[in-house]
Amino acid sequence: GENVGLHLPTLSVQEGDNSIINCAYSNSASDYFIWYKQESGKGPQFIIDIRSNMDKRQGQRVTVLLNKTVKHLSLQIAATQPGDSAVYFCAHSGSARQLTFGSGTQLTVLP
Amino acid sequence: DGGITQSPKYLFRKEGQNVTLSCEQNLNHDAMYWYRQDPGQGLRLIYYSQIVNDFQKGDIAEGYSVSREKKESFPLTVTSAQKNPTAFYLCASNTGGPAYEQYFGPGTRLTVT
């Protein structure tokens, strides 16, 4: 089956520093990738997406990079703030509009 | 406000009882999904529905049932056949068009003892 996984389960960064969260996937046929943010006890919130015909997309303080050669996806958060502390999931599209989710990375922002 | 609502936020049941979790959306989305999330893990797909009166099993459908009688509603029943029902349940919806983005509800935490 399809697999989306994360390199590290936890990440701690100093407030104001940049954060980089990584994700590996195995299905080279995937054409759509999404990053979600999930705060404790809440549902995931959409952050940013990228299609397979792109290698970079920028949003507000976030950038997603896609390297199809090595099947790697990353989320960069600029000037990380305490409110960025959450679990971040990558997901990729499958058949019938399904999404396959990774196990998540817990980002902790240190004061 | 448009969005997805799930109720209740916390639910407690005794083992052997069926329980139904509510999911309602007013986004006019065609597709709806149910996921299960266990501590420290990602989301696993239970059931999904792309249109009213139609639904398909996801990766972990055993012990669950759904219905889709209305576009706005996609209730999930956790039956007594589900061996480990305690989990955080998330409902999501999607336009069903070219976008893959799914919008999530706030979740229901089910505890079965």
Side-chain angles (χ1 to χ4, degrees):
Chain A
E2 296 174 343
N3 179 51
V4 178
L6 295 175
H7 292 312
L8 295 172
T10 61
L11 176 66
S12 296
V13 298
Q14 291 294 138
E15 183 177 352
D17 287 352
N18 296 337
S19 303
I20 300 177
I21 301 171
N22 296 304
C23 180
Y25 64 95
S26 58
N27 187 350
S28 57
S30 297
D31 61 0
Y32 189 80
F33 301 85
I34 307 177
W35 280 101
Y36 282 94
K37 173 186 180 183
Q38 186 178 26
E39 296 176 346
S40 181
K42 297 183 179 179
Q45 296 174 281
F46 172 88
I47 302 173
I48 192 168
D49 59 4
I50 189 168
R51 289 202 175 270
S52 58
N53 60 355
M54 303 170 68
D55 53 19
K56 180 178 180 180
R57 191 169 186 212
Q58 288 185 293
Q60 187 177 11
R61 278 202 309 121
V62 295
T63 301
V64 56
L65 299 177
L66 175 62
N67 186 330
K68 294 180 287 294
T69 302
V70 296
K71 299 191 187 68
H72 182 267
L73 187 72
S74 68
L75 176 70
Q76 300 179 2
I77 304 174
T80 312
Q81 302 169 0
D84 294 328
S85 291
V87 176
Y88 290 81
F89 293 97
C90 64
H92 79 111
S93 62
S95 60
R97 318 215 70 76
Q98 294 180 46
L99 290 175
T100 299
F101 289 83
S103 56
T105 292
Q106 173 70 58
L107 174 64
T108 301
V109 181
L110 306 172
Chain B
D1 288 337
I4 302 176
T5 57
Q6 292 184 243
S7 60
K9 188 170 177 64
Y10 299 97
L11 191 53
F12 298 88
R13 280 293 182 271
K14 293 290 186 184
E15 195 173 320
Q17 294 178 333
N18 292 354
V19 59
T20 298
L21 282 59
S22 167
C23 177
E24 304 280 330
Q25 54 98 0
N26 61 4
L27 300 166
N28 200 33
H29 284 173
D30 288 316
M32 297 186 74
Y33 307 80
W34 273 106
Y35 294 91
R36 170 188 172 129
Q37 187 176 31
D38 293 288
Q41 297 190 29
L43 282 62
R44 291 185 289 167
L45 183 64
I46 304 172
Y47 267 98
Y48 64 100
S49 167
Q50 294 185 298
I51 197 167
V52 174
N53 293 322
D54 187 49
F55 49 83
Q56 285 79 39
K57 293 181 179 180
D59 300 322
I60 55 166
E62 185 176 350
Y64 300 96
S65 66
V66 294
S67 63
R68 186 86 188 277
E69 297 176 2
K70 298 187 298 182
K71 187 175 186 178
E72 304 79 21
S73 179
F74 191 40
L76 173 75
T77 297
V78 184
T79 75
S80 56
Q82 168 50 234
K83 293 185 175 128
N84 187 18
T86 295
F88 189 47
Y89 290 88
L90 286 158
C91 179
S93 70
N94 171 271
T95 61
Y100 284 84
E101 177 187 343
Q102 293 180 13
Y103 297 83
F104 284 84
T108 292
R109 187 167 299 281
L110 173 65
T111 302
V112 177
T113 57

